[in-house]
Amino acid sequence: MARGNIIFLVFVCFLSCLLVSAKRPHIVFIVADDLGFNDVGFRNPDMITPNIDKLANTGVIFDSAYVLPVCSPSRSAFMSGIYPFKTGLQHIVIGAAQNVCLPLNLTILPQQLKKVGYATHIIGKWHLGFCNWNCTPTYRGFDSYLGYYNADEDYYKHTVAGFYDLHDNETPGWNFNGKYSAYFFAERAQQIITNHNADQPLFMYLPFQNVHAPIEVPPKYANMYPYVRNWGRKNFCGMVTILDEAIGNITQTLKDKGMYEDTLILLTADNGAELIAYGNNWPLRGGKHTLWEGGTRVTSFMSGYGLQETGITHTGLLHAVDWMPTLIGAAGAEQVPGIDGINQWDSIRLNQPSKRTEFIYNLDDFYIPTQGHAGIRMGDWKLLLGYPGSIDGWYEPMNDTKDTPLTYYIFPNTGDSPARLFNVIEDPRELNDLAADYPDIVQNLTARINEYRQSYVKANYPKHSDIAVEKAKQNGGVWSPGWC
């Protein structure tokens, strides 16, 4: 072969490699609402989650993935890469009639992905505000939306606080009334995938309703747990399994379409399990609404395209604010400057140490900081100041005939006292408070919290608006934007 032809072939191969390496993956970002640390099969063999388990075990399981202690703050971090205490969303969650939304001056994840050609779709729970149309998904970078605006609702009737809350793009989705949400959320995702042009990168955000209260599931899924005698836990487990089935149906459709090998899947919970709603975080302390590990250290993993080492557990620190820049990094898009999140894509795909060494659990100076007042993680150390949230203690799954009593409570107090210090690497269950033994570490971590407080924004948590209720009545009994 002539030397010129050899050089040409080498150049073509080199160019092909560049094109392959520059390929933008399809991205599926799944949020499992209130899913507990111990509510998946790869940690708890009593749970029936074969699809989740397969994705996790053939991907990268995150052992130290952290979020905020409740819904809206975590979701704001997922979408913006910014700590909620800087956006005013650090206190409780956005209520149905509150004049609040994720600040409109922020560039959020779908908007940044659209700049590099992604088709963007959201199916499920928004919970980042809807008082103005500009707050809603299709005005914030998503091409389509099927889901609900609020924190929770009936799984079949899709009502909350007296009004219907299921929307297909910008119109009420009355045709879904009476249907279980996991079924039609998965069906819509499958329709989008089937009709999608695989040459265009796809971003699909799937914040499922499951497994948030109320405890509702078709009986056949609960009946898959005959050994669970507690009614609530039995049905909760069924809710996990129907979620798993939905994820399996979606991944199968990706395979049928020939897109699966080019898809990166991220799954995370938005907070720890709601203990009074039968979720479980064993062996971690506490649960949702608290800054304990059970409220903030969650089930999370990545699977699919671009991961160089799989079947592993990544132990490095990851935080909710990191998912936006990490997915942007995986997509090869330009990062948004000035955010708190860190692009962890190389750390994850190459199984390298995390780039994160610290994070804030939350900062909330509200009179009663319902989900915890202040907390920081630096290296192996965790410091909590003041009220950590109400439910305390360690609870195994409620498999017996009676509800497990939640016997450990901490009553609200204000201010930074007491200080609680834990080495969460040596003591992940937070059994041993070391504050009295290491006052210098308490002092150093408190000083670091005070540095973060320099960028603190007062919580935006107004009273509920009567105008929102009147708007819902005028719109045929449907929660609707357009009142702020």
Side-chain angles (χ1 to χ4, degrees):
M1 182 180 293
R3 184 170 180 269
N5 290 336
I6 294 174
I7 293 173
F8 176 75
L9 288 173
V10 169
F11 174 75
V12 169
C13 290
F14 174 72
L15 183 60
S16 297
C17 290
L18 282 179
L19 289 173
V20 170
S21 65
K23 186 174 183 178
R24 303 192 196 278
H26 307 300
I27 298 172
V28 176
F29 184 0
I30 302 168
V31 178
D33 201 342
D34 287 5
L35 184 70
F37 193 78
N38 194 40
D39 287 332
V40 286
F42 64 83
R43 288 203 179 99
N44 179 355
D46 289 341
M47 300 303 300
I48 303 170
T49 55
N51 298 295
I52 288 173
D53 296 347
K54 184 175 181 180
L55 288 170
N57 290 326
T58 58
V60 178
I61 296 171
F62 303 124
D63 190 54
S64 297
Y66 287 83
V67 295
L68 283 299
V70 283
C71 307
S72 294
S74 286
R75 292 160 198 270
S76 73
F78 295 154
M79 290 291 103
S80 72
I82 298 174
Y83 286 124
F85 73 83
K86 295 183 179 181
T87 60
L89 297 179
Q90 68 270 43
H91 184 68
I92 314 185
V93 299
I94 298 174
Q98 282 186 307
N99 180 356
V100 178
C101 71
L102 182 65
L104 297 177
N105 63 324
L106 302 179
T107 298
I108 67 172
L109 178 56
Q111 294 170 324
Q112 200 69 1
L113 292 178
K114 282 188 72 67
K115 294 177 182 179
V116 291
Y118 273 80
T120 57
H121 303 274
I122 171 175
I123 303 167
K125 173 177 171 176
W126 177 236
H127 208 194
L128 290 175
F130 68 94
C131 67
N132 189 292
W133 280 110
N134 291 325
C135 299
T136 61
T138 54
Y139 288 75
R140 303 210 68 172
F142 286 104
D143 296 329
S144 74
Y145 173 51
L146 174 64
Y148 57 107
Y149 293 136
N150 285 294
D152 61 84
E153 62 182 17
D154 187 284
Y155 277 78
Y156 296 94
K157 299 177 182 177
H158 314 299
T159 54
V160 60
F163 300 110
Y164 194 72
D165 186 16
L166 203 289
H167 309 266
D168 195 348
N169 291 315
E170 296 161 25
T171 60
W174 288 112
N175 53 313
F176 298 104
N177 189 11
K179 300 177 182 179
Y180 193 84
S181 66
Y183 284 144
F184 63 81
F185 285 167
E187 289 169 359
R188 175 60 62 89
Q190 291 173 273
Q191 292 169 4
I192 290 172
I193 293 166
T194 299
N195 296 327
H196 183 70
N197 176 4
D199 292 331
Q200 181 185 17
L202 170 68
F203 172 59
M204 185 174 288
Y205 178 43
L206 297 175
F208 277 94
Q209 182 174 4
N210 294 61
V211 289
H212 196 292
I215 305 302
E216 296 176 327
V217 72
K220 71 174 184 177
Y221 297 95
N223 292 338
M224 295 170 70
Y225 294 86
Y227 45 85
V228 179
R229 293 180 292 168
N230 179 286
W231 178 91
R233 179 66 183 174
K234 185 185 189 76
N235 281 270
F236 176 90
C237 291
M239 294 168 72
V240 177
T241 295
I242 195 173
L243 170 66
D244 179 81
E245 179 183 88
I247 291 171
N249 290 340
I250 292 166
T251 54
Q252 184 59 52
T253 303
L254 286 167
K255 293 174 182 177
D256 295 342
K257 181 69 173 181
M259 293 169 57
Y260 182 78
E261 297 299 325
D262 297 324
T263 299
L264 177 65
I265 298 172
L266 166 64
L267 181 144
T268 181
D270 60 339
N271 43 251
E274 176 76 273
L275 297 175
I276 61 173
Y278 307 100
N280 190 254
N281 302 306
W282 180 263
L284 303 178
R285 184 175 184 174
K288 181 180 179 179
H289 309 291
T290 79
L291 300 183
W292 301 118
E293 294 295 277
T296 56
R297 181 181 168 194
V298 295
T299 292
S300 185
F301 63 81
M302 263 188 183
S303 189
Y305 183 89
L307 300 175
Q308 301 302 301
E309 291 192 43
T310 56
I312 62 172
T313 296
H314 192 281
T315 60
L317 285 182
L318 301 162
H319 191 268
V321 295
D322 295 337
W323 291 132
M324 174 178 167
T326 297
L327 294 179
I328 288 173
E334 182 181 352
Q335 293 292 341
V336 176
I339 64 174
D340 298 304
I342 298 171
N343 176 10
Q344 302 271 23
W345 178 231
D346 284 345
S347 299
I348 294 168
R349 71 183 183 91
L350 301 174
N351 192 26
Q352 295 178 348
S354 170
K355 297 176 182 178
R356 180 170 291 283
T357 59
E358 67 181 54
F359 64 84
I360 288 290
Y361 283 87
N362 197 27
L363 296 177
D364 186 0
D365 290 343
F366 218 77
Y367 176 68
I368 297 179
T370 316
Q371 280 76 44
H373 173 57
I376 191 171
R377 171 78 179 271
M378 288 186 67
D380 297 353
W381 294 100
K382 173 179 181 177
L383 177 69
L384 297 180
L385 298 179
Y387 183 56
S390 59
I391 298 177
D392 194 6
W394 301 261
Y395 304 91
E396 295 189 60
M398 298 182 189
N399 290 342
D400 295 330
T401 54
K402 293 183 179 179
D403 289 357
T404 301
L406 304 179
T407 54
Y408 300 97
Y409 284 86
I410 296 176
F411 293 97
N413 63 290
T414 58
D416 285 354
S417 295
R420 298 176 176 91
L421 180 70
F422 303 92
N423 184 319
V424 288
I425 298 301
E426 296 180 359
D427 179 25
R429 297 183 65 194
E430 300 173 286
L431 295 168
N432 302 304
D433 181 358
L434 302 174
D437 298 326
Y438 297 97
D440 54 332
I441 295 178
V442 172
Q443 182 178 3
N444 290 339
L445 268 60
T446 301
R448 185 66 177 137
I449 286 177
N450 288 334
E451 290 178 19
Y452 279 103
R453 282 172 166 160
Q454 299 303 309
S455 54
Y456 182 88
V457 172
K458 183 180 178 181
N460 187 7
Y461 196 77
K463 294 181 179 180
H464 287 202
S465 170
D466 292 337
I467 301 175
V469 174
E470 289 303 314
K471 182 70 175 179
K473 292 178 180 178
Q474 295 168 10
N475 202 40
V478 181
W479 286 112
S480 306
W483 44 275
C484 75

